[in-house]
Each structure stands twice: as structure tokens, then as C-alpha cells.
Amino acid sequence: MTAQNSATPLTAIAVEDPAPRARQERGSGRHGLGGRATGGTALAGLGVVAFSLTFPATAWGLESFGPWSFVAVRSLLAALIAGAFLLAGRVPLPARAHWAGLAVVAAGVVVGFPLLTTLALTTSTTSHAAVVVGLLPLTTAAVSALRTGARPSRRFWAAAVAGAAVVLGFTLTQSGGALSAGDGYLFGALLVCAAGYTEGGRLARTLPGWQVIGWALVLCLPLSLAGSALGLAYEPVHLGGHGVAGLLWAAAGSTFLGLYVWYRGMAEIGAPRASQLQLAQPLLTLVWSVALLGEHLSPAAPVAACAVLVCIAVTQRA
């Protein structure tokens, strides 16, 4: 609630993987999933499922923590998990040329998006927050095109805009057509997340996806430590089952596992294609909102879900 590709015969927007060494490092997992396109789509789709639980998990976390302390502790826990994996694997430090890109990833998906969406959820429901998140695929595709020089077809853009319009219209209907006070936070979150997704996916062409998010999290470790100390000192904490579960999922599930499979998937199929899988994310979030938070789902949901799936199918073949 963020490019990068290896060549496939299915699309004109794929580019050749420039890193044979990275291909060898990731090859076994990719081919084990049935080939580049299939494996990349499966990984990116798994990331979407993980991300779809982020808003409900955040809503649970806010039952126990303030917004600033929740985001800081979430990032701290995720950084500790990532650091443990990096140490266990004896992973060398990234090349100097990679640190600028890692800083963009850290600013966008480790700090910016979690903080802005958490602040939005202090005044908005999860279903309303899904309004803006539904626009993330289109935003990511646009940022990716600007950053990488990719030129998706007109059919791709038409399907992407149609899918975004369906998601936007559906979620606005769910919220009564009114814009919440948190929309400014959500629109800002869109921009920083799209930049982080694009840069992280680009790095994932030469670094394994888990190392991209791992080093981005470790890069934010000093900020996470300071933010956790300040947030916990100045915001009240009322620990409960929901709050702890929400925090743990946001840290381990959404921030580490979700971003790991997402970046690896984007490296396989490219940011424009992967980003369109996120058209399903708002609808999945609405399902989790009903199941976990007791929110009510409109009868129009199945119709919107079918329309979004059609748009996804078109973008995957454009």
C-alpha cells in the first residue's frame, strides 16, 4: 500500500539482462518456476499478495502504536532480519555505483511509503486508502518509462489507464466519493513508492532482489534506531495481540519478504508488466479488510474484480 527485466519473446518492452553473473545467481530459482516470464510473474504476484495485507496490518498496528513509532519499529525489525540474512550469507558490500540507487529505494519504500500511508490511515479507512494505491501501477509504469527509456505500446497504456480507472471508480464508490484528509499523504506515497520500485527493480538486474531490499533496510538502520527511540518515548504504547501481529507482518511480511519477491519478479518481467499485477492489490486489500477488520464490501466488488483481471490480461500481452 515500486524496473527491470531480462529478455523474453513475449514482449517488445523487455531488454537484455546485462549481467551474466547475476543471471547465474538467480537462474535456478527462476527456471524452477517454469521459465523467466512465468517465474517472474509468480514472484511479483506473491509480492502483491504480501503488499495487499499491509494496510490491514498497519490498521492493527495502530491499535498499539503511534504512527511514527510504528513505522520506525517496523523498519528496525525488518533491517535486523535483513542484516541477519546478509551476515549469514557473508554477502559483500554493494559496489559504490549501487549506493545511490539503494538510497532511492530506502527513501521510497523503506521510509517514504510506509510513513505516508501510516499517517493517512490515522484518518482514513483501509478501503479508502486503496483508492490511491490503485493508481500505483500506472504511476510505476510512468516513472519506469521516464527512468529506463522503455516505450510500452499504446495498447498497454490504454489497458493500464482503464484498469486504474476501474480501481479508482470502485474504491471511490466504496468511500462515498469523498476525499479524506489523508489523501495528500497517499498521493505523495504514490510518487515516492513508484520511484523506489523502479530503482529497486533496476538494481535487481545485477543484484539478487533480497540483497537490494536488504541493503536498503540496513542503510536506514541508524534512522530506524533513532526514530524508534524517539517514537516510543513520545507516543503511547498499548500492546495487544492485533498490534503485535500487525507490526510483525508489516516488518517481516510486507517490508522484507514482499519486497524481496517483488523486486526479483520485476527483474524478470520488467516494471511495466509487474506494476500492472498491482491492479489486483486494492481489491485484495478490500477482501482482507472484510475478513480482518470487519469492513463491508460492496456487491459491485465481483464486477470490478473481473474488469481488473481483464485489464491485467491485456497488459501482460501488450
Side-chain angles (χ1 to χ4, degrees):
M1 225 281 84
T2 119
Q4 0 310 301
N5 31 15
S6 55
T8 79
L10 300 178
T11 174
I13 61 174
V15 296
E16 194 71 27
D17 187 340
R21 181 172 175 268
R23 184 187 304 116
Q24 183 178 6
E25 290 175 350
R26 295 181 316 220
S28 60
R30 178 170 61 206
H31 295 299
L33 288 170
R36 297 177 183 177
T38 301
T41 300
L43 288 170
L46 181 59
V48 169
V49 173
F51 297 154
S52 71
L53 280 161
T54 301
F55 284 175
T58 300
W60 272 8
L62 291 175
E63 295 179 14
S64 296
F65 301 91
W68 294 89
S69 56
F70 176 80
V71 172
V73 175
R74 162 187 172 172
S75 298
L76 175 60
L77 292 177
L80 293 176
I81 295 171
F85 273 89
L86 291 169
L87 286 174
R90 297 182 179 180
V91 178
L93 289 172
R96 182 178 300 178
H98 293 149
W99 282 107
L102 289 171
V104 174
V105 176
V109 303
V110 177
V111 178
F113 186 79
L115 178 60
L116 292 171
T117 54
T118 299
L119 290 173
L121 286 173
T122 61
T123 59
S124 300
T125 65
T126 57
S127 59
H128 184 81
V131 172
V132 180
V133 171
L135 300 178
L136 184 57
L138 185 58
T139 308
T140 302
V143 172
S144 173
L146 292 173
R147 177 67 176 88
T148 67
R151 293 294 181 267
S153 67
R154 292 182 179 179
R155 182 183 176 189
F156 177 97
W157 284 114
V161 171
V166 169
V167 171
L168 181 61
F170 173 70
T171 48
L172 277 175
T173 300
Q174 295 299 290
S175 63
L179 296 179
S180 72
D183 283 328
Y185 290 129
L186 292 169
F187 284 121
L190 273 180
L191 295 176
V192 298
C193 189
Y197 279 177
T198 298
E199 197 64 22
R202 185 187 67 82
L203 289 172
R205 291 190 299 182
T206 54
L207 292 173
W210 73 274
Q211 291 185 24
V212 173
I213 185 56
W215 287 117
L217 286 163
V218 170
L219 185 63
C220 289
L221 187 56
L223 182 61
S224 299
L225 279 169
S228 297
L230 290 173
L232 293 173
Y234 288 98
E235 291 181 333
V237 176
H238 306 287
L239 290 181
H242 280 179
V244 173
L247 175 65
L248 292 177
W249 176 259
S254 299
T255 305
F256 183 72
L257 174 62
L259 287 171
Y260 160 56
V261 295
W262 174 249
Y263 281 139
R264 184 168 177 178
M266 279 204 301
E268 300 289 353
I269 63 176
R273 277 189 162 194
S275 69
Q276 300 318 304
L277 294 176
Q278 282 193 308
L279 287 169
Q281 183 176 327
L283 300 180
L284 287 173
T285 297
L286 290 173
V287 172
W288 299 128
S289 297
V290 171
L292 301 177
L293 304 176
E295 296 185 9
H296 297 287
L297 195 62
S298 166
V303 176
C306 290
V308 167
L309 289 176
V310 169
C311 292
I312 292 174
V314 172
T315 59
Q316 294 300 291
R317 291 165 175 78

